Structure formats: structure tokens, C-alpha cells
Amino acid sequence: MMVEKRHLILIGFMGTGKTTVGKALAPILELPWVDTDQSLVEQWGFSIAEYFQCYGEASFREAETAKLKELLQSTPSVITTGGGIVLKRENQDLMKKYGWVIHLHADPEEIIRRVRNDLERPLLKGDTRQKVLQLYEERTGKYDFADLTIDTTMRPIEEIVEQIHLFWNKKQV
Ligand code: S3P
């Protein structure tokens, strides 16, 4: 049987700092860092934006769930995820079962500032501001299943990493 709650998983809307925090956190927890999107890109040999363009979002969501399952089955890791991974209840249940789930939150205005010049996020193409506000609204409550929520707005990364480190240590007894 797979040991439960052995990963540290970061979820959150696009631009909340999951990748940045995950990368900094992994060496501190002495765990490898893996990312669902990056791992898919490596597997495919082309970008998320290209995948969306060729196969569409529904197909991406299938691939995302398959990748999540694969990563959850491997050794304990810091797993960072795409912002839409929470859209499927199945993914939520799997993450909560096999890991401590940390939700990184940021105010939508701050998210807009962070993702404004980004071309790699297919869901934000066009009017970025309007897209962020709409998706943010649609996803209200979707991240609430997390074991811990951290507001990253105006907070230095070191502080966020330290808070997660302390949380993780408490859970290791
Ligand atoms: C998505 C977020 C992206 C990526 C894809 C879809 C989403 O990841 O998975 O573009 O639906 O929120 P990031 O949260 O790392 O930007």
C-alpha cells in the first residue's frame, strides 16, 4: 500500500508563486522538486501553449491527471501544480490523500501584475486582466480543500518558505 500524505503539494491560481516557492522549498525539506506542467512539457517535447493549441483544454486536463497520478506514486517530493488542477474533484481527493496540500493565495490585482507579460499561459491570451478576473471568480472556493492557505501578496518568498517548512516539520512526527 502506498504511504499516505508523504508529498508536499503546492496549489494555487496562476501567478501565486507555486514554482518559485516549490523550487526554494525542496532543498530545505530535502526532497526532490517536480512540477506537473514541466514534467508534461518534458514528456511531450513542446510547450503547454502548443499543446492547448493542438489538442485543447479537455485533453490537457486528462494528461494533467495522468501526470499527477504518476508523480504521486513516486518517491516523496515537493510537487508544484498547474493552477487548474483543482478543477477536477478527483485530483483534489488524490492530492489530499497523498500529500500535505498548501494553497498559495494572492490578490487578483497582484496576480494581474505578475502575469501581465506572460505568453506561456494559453488561458490568459488576449485581455489578460479580464481573463484573470473571470477565471478567479469561476475558481472561487476550488482551492479551499487545502490543509493550509498562505497569502503571498506582499510577502517575501523566504517567509513563505519558512512557514511551509515549519508546517511540514510539525506533520513529520
Ligand atoms: C493553468 C495554469 C498553468 C498551466 C495551464 C493551465 C490553469 O499553470 O497548467 O496553462 O488552468 O490555471 P500555472 O498555474 O503554473 O501558470
Side-chain angles (χ1 to χ4, degrees):
M1 196 192 77
M2 256 206 285
V3 182
E4 300 190 353
K5 281 212 178 274
R6 63 214 171 94
H7 302 283
L8 189 291
I9 305 172
L10 295 180
I11 62 165
F13 200 86
M14 292 173 264
T16 50
K18 296 168 300 228
T19 309
T20 313
V21 170
K23 263 192 212 173
L25 184 65
I28 292 170
L29 303 191
E30 295 179 35
L31 295 175
W33 166 62
V34 287
D35 178 81
T36 53
D37 282 337
Q38 189 183 297
S39 176
L40 285 169
V41 166
E42 276 163 23
Q43 181 183 320
W44 296 328
F46 48 87
S47 72
I48 301 284
E50 286 165 334
Y51 190 93
F52 264 71
Q53 206 169 15
C54 292
Y55 306 106
E57 181 172 352
S59 174
F60 172 77
R61 297 296 171 206
E62 294 300 314
E64 185 177 49
T65 297
K67 182 54 73 183
L68 176 66
K69 287 181 180 166
E70 181 194 314
L71 298 181
L72 289 174
Q73 275 163 16
S74 64
T75 61
S77 310
V78 170
I79 304 177
T80 54
T81 57
I85 204 151
V86 298
L87 294 175
K88 278 197 202 168
R89 181 60 204 268
E90 181 192 8
N91 295 350
Q92 294 188 16
D93 293 344
L94 283 167
M95 289 190 283
K96 187 104 184 190
K97 183 168 180 192
Y98 293 111
W100 292 104
V101 182
I102 314 286
H103 168 211
L104 299 186
H105 167 90
D107 290 341
E109 291 301 332
E110 172 65 15
I111 290 173
I112 291 163
R113 268 194 295 278
R114 292 183 193 171
V115 301
R116 204 160 26 198
N117 297 317
D118 180 24
L119 301 170
E120 261 311 307
R121 291 183 167 104
L123 295 178
L124 302 182
K125 258 209 217 138
D127 185 342
T128 303
R129 182 188 172 76
Q130 188 248 320
K131 296 266 172 71
V132 168
L133 293 176
Q134 190 192 328
L135 279 175
Y136 197 88
E137 170 91 24
E138 277 171 27
R139 293 183 182 172
T140 304
K142 294 276 186 201
Y143 302 97
D144 290 357
F145 72 98
D147 296 295
L148 175 70
T149 292
I150 301 179
D151 191 351
T152 67
T153 317
M154 310 282 285
R155 279 189 76 198
I157 176 148
E158 300 77 29
E159 218 178 278
I160 299 163
V161 167
E162 190 46 28
Q163 188 179 347
I164 302 173
H165 185 196
L166 290 173
F167 175 86
W168 175 257
N169 281 350
K170 266 194 239 155
K171 301 299 181 188
Q172 300 310 301
V173 286

